[in-house]
Amino acid sequence: MTKQSDDHQAALRLPIRVEQRGNRGTLRFASPLDGVAGGSGGGGPLWLGVEWDDPARGKHSGQHPRRPEEPPLFHVVVPGSASFVKVTPLTAGPRLQRALHLSGFPAVGAGSAATDRFRFARTFLSALRERYAGALGGTSELQRPLDQPDDDNATVGLADVAFGSKTVETVGWLKVARKLGRLQVLQEVSVAGMRVGWVGGQLLDDGDGGSDDGGSEDAAARDESDGVISETCPAVMDLNLAQCLFVSWEEVARVTRQLPLLKTLRLNKNRLLSVGDVSVVSVAFRSLTTLALNETVASWEDIAGLAQHFPVLEQLHLGANRIAHLDATDAPEPCFPHLRVLNLEDNNIASWGCVAELTKRSLPNLEALHLNGNAIATIEIPTPSDGTPFKSLSYLNLSRNRVSTWSSVHALNDLPALRELRFKDNPITDGSGVAFGEPAPPQSAAPHSGLGTTDLLIARVDRVTMLNGSSVTPRVRLDAELYYLNWVVRRYPGVLQLTQQQRQSLSPLTPAIQAELTSVHTDHPRFFELAERHSTAAAAAVAAVATASGSAPMLKDRLLELTLVLVANADESDSDTWDQRSRVPVGLRRRAVRRRLPATMAVRAARGLAARVLGVPAGRGVRLFAVRGGGLDAASGNEEAVAEEAADDLRELGFYGLASGDELVVIA
């Protein structure tokens, strides 16, 4: 690169954000190229080096097109995202031509095509007025009170609005437009995609803050750094500056420091340089609680370096930024002490350890962490002596990662506050993951229809009340944990019969039982906890396995022997009298059948079974009563019997304290 080209680029104040045909990029180079299109010694055609926001538009990383082996002519953030654009009357609009002329470049020529030329940044207020006040066509409509009718000659409330090639007559449009056009009361403002990039003054040339067509903006928009923005829209609390042409944090700060009530700032799809002038940004973001920087190619180091300027930040969104490392800072104080939500989705993070260390040292109050769309393969929750990471974390999104072992799933139990988990599209959830040599059980292996990997996730991770967006009710958790117990017992039938003392001391066990116990402790660390919690169901599962091998009593010996009794419901008064006195008149008993039912049978299933067995016609309302103490037949003289209506379909029969010899009474 020649000294002349260096001088040219300094005069242009590169880098500069540009837009061409809706594609945004960063202009990083301007100079003739030796050996390209007749260029020699700086006297050939002018070429612009652009790093495009969309890497698919790039062809190289800044290298000379004829000498790619040499060092690049300019630096790019994303490899392969750059290209050279020849300056012609088609690509250089009036504004670029003036800037090139003032910077010492030769004249390009007259004329330009609006579709191909480069477009540059505009001021914030010009975009604001265009979006919110431009529809009214002047200030007279802005000054009219909202409750005052429109001019009769304008047909009250009517306006023509164009949607593509069609024009629609709307009612009340002017009133809505006037409401939006009152800039001083706007609380949510969006100028996304409107090429905002500065606040007035100088950008490309001396004193020209004009549009691409050579015109100039009004005087109020030419110098927005003297409080004009705060006078125009002082009530803004939510500002969307996404897909704009800001080149530095200083330019953003010159806007936000004039908005004292600002709480939410969205800068998605911008490209911002590191802070150079700290004095400009020192007070510009002090009230922000939410910051969105998705698709900005910002590294964690860049963000951590800005932490001191965001003292009360609570939500930070850094999705799709190609972040691979999260190095914790060495500062004695946390960099974001108030941060509750951190979004790191669609990055390149492969290490869970760096995430854990970061949250412990820099984010002590984190409650929600989005890590979906990364490359995390294993999860280990360390418990260091100087503090537990994720102590407040209640929401975790790990979908679309590479987790392939159940040990990583079990590690989530070390998150004491975890309540909501998203865990879709991992190898372990689609059956391709292997946990200590054993894959997740196939769907066909489940004892109940519809149970599978989701139920294993629920059973293996305690305390979670929301999984993949679905509520984990107590009933859902119970079913999942019983399924899990049954599945483990079938694989290791001898372990559950061990006493606690035997489990703690491996020496007196046979080699086979010892191997089973080791596998259970390693692969299913929650098994004994769940077996103790659901002791009846676990015993039934052991009995079922033992029965199959002929080494234990039959499963039927563990069922409840109940009498199903049909009671005629002659009229409402009969059933009410029976219910109040807890006695059944002998004359109303129509039929009694003895059946053996499991204590874990749901009330809904028991009611349907009893109705079918007792011959109750389909469609007739049925009430089910659990009768403890031997039955309610008045002829038996049993005064100890107690009746309780089993009205909760989700309860099990065992919940009502039934034992063999008791009754289930059906009133139909």
Side-chain angles (χ1 to χ4, degrees), residues 296-343:
T296 59
V297 201
S299 67
W300 178 256
E301 291 77 11
D302 295 335
I303 303 305
L306 292 170
Q308 60 181 321
H309 305 302
F310 299 89
V312 296
L313 195 65
E314 296 181 1
Q315 295 190 36
L316 178 58
H317 301 268
L318 298 172
N321 278 331
R322 301 172 180 263
I323 295 175
H325 304 286
L326 297 170
D327 296 331
T329 63
D330 296 329
E333 298 295 329
C335 61
F336 291 108
H338 302 288
L339 198 69
R340 297 185 298 103
V341 178
L342 178 59
N343 182 358

Side-chain angles (χ1 to χ4, degrees), residues 162-242:
F163 294 94
S165 60
K166 296 182 179 180
T167 301
V168 179
E169 186 178 61
T170 63
V171 178
W173 174 259
L174 291 179
K175 184 174 182 179
V176 173
R178 284 203 308 274
K179 184 176 181 180
L180 292 175
R182 294 180 180 277
L183 304 181
Q184 289 190 338
V185 299
L186 283 180
Q187 293 185 347
E188 297 184 12
V189 167
S190 174
V191 289
M194 297 188 71
R195 297 187 293 110
V196 177
W198 58 310
V199 295
Q202 297 182 354
L203 182 64
L204 283 177
D205 51 57
D206 296 333
D208 180 45
S211 65
D212 293 321
D213 296 325
S216 62
E217 298 173 343
D218 56 85
R222 288 182 59 84
D223 190 1
E224 301 170 11
S225 59
D226 295 330
V228 180
I229 294 178
S230 59
E231 295 174 1
T232 305
C233 51
V236 175
M237 300 179 66
D238 188 325
L239 179 59
N240 190 346
L241 297 175

Side-chain angles (χ1 to χ4, degrees), residues 102-140:
L102 292 173
S103 302
F105 287 103
V108 177
S112 65
T115 57
D116 290 329
R117 71 187 182 205
F118 282 104
R119 308 182 73 188
F120 293 85
R122 62 189 301 184
T123 65
F124 171 74
L125 282 184
S126 68
L128 180 72
R129 291 191 174 100
E130 176 183 326
R131 172 152 293 181
Y132 291 96
L136 296 175
T139 60
S140 60

Side-chain angles (χ1 to χ4, degrees), residues 29-83:
F29 174 86
S31 176
L33 293 175
D34 294 340
V36 179
S40 177
L46 179 64
W47 291 85
L48 303 178
V50 183
E51 179 185 6
W52 299 102
D53 292 3
D54 180 6
R57 289 180 57 84
K59 299 180 180 179
H60 51 76
S61 298
Q63 292 88 356
H64 192 289
R66 294 288 187 267
R67 298 187 291 273
E69 71 282 356
E70 296 182 357
L73 299 176
F74 59 94
H75 170 73
V76 297
V77 178
V78 180
S81 61
S83 67

Side-chain angles (χ1 to χ4, degrees), residues 218-283:
D218 56 85
R222 288 182 59 84
D223 190 1
E224 301 170 11
S225 59
D226 295 330
V228 180
I229 294 178
S230 59
E231 295 174 1
T232 305
C233 51
V236 175
M237 300 179 66
D238 188 325
L239 179 59
N240 190 346
L241 297 175
Q243 303 180 60
C244 285
L245 298 181
F246 288 99
V247 73
S248 69
W249 279 100
E250 286 89 338
E251 292 299 333
V252 177
R254 290 186 176 96
V255 176
T256 60
R257 69 181 179 181
Q258 300 186 57
L259 302 173
L261 302 181
L262 188 64
K263 298 295 183 184
T264 300
L265 178 61
R266 309 173 198 274
L267 291 170
N268 301 325
K269 297 185 178 181
N270 279 277
R271 297 288 190 270
L272 302 174
L273 298 177
S274 301
V275 174
D277 188 353
V278 177
S279 63
V280 178
V281 302
S282 59
V283 296

Side-chain angles (χ1 to χ4, degrees), residues 491-550:
R491 298 180 66 86
Y492 309 104
V495 172
L496 194 59
Q497 303 180 43
L498 299 175
T499 64
Q500 183 177 2
Q501 182 178 3
Q502 288 175 317
R503 294 201 302 266
Q504 294 175 350
S505 176
L506 300 181
S507 55
L509 302 179
T510 64
I513 297 297
Q514 181 174 332
E516 285 190 12
L517 184 58
T518 302
S519 297
V520 169
H521 278 305
T522 303
D523 300 346
H524 309 282
R526 292 200 68 215
F527 173 72
F528 290 109
E529 172 193 347
L530 294 178
E532 184 175 353
R533 181 183 301 177
H534 308 292
S535 56
T536 302
V542 171
V545 174
T547 298
S549 62

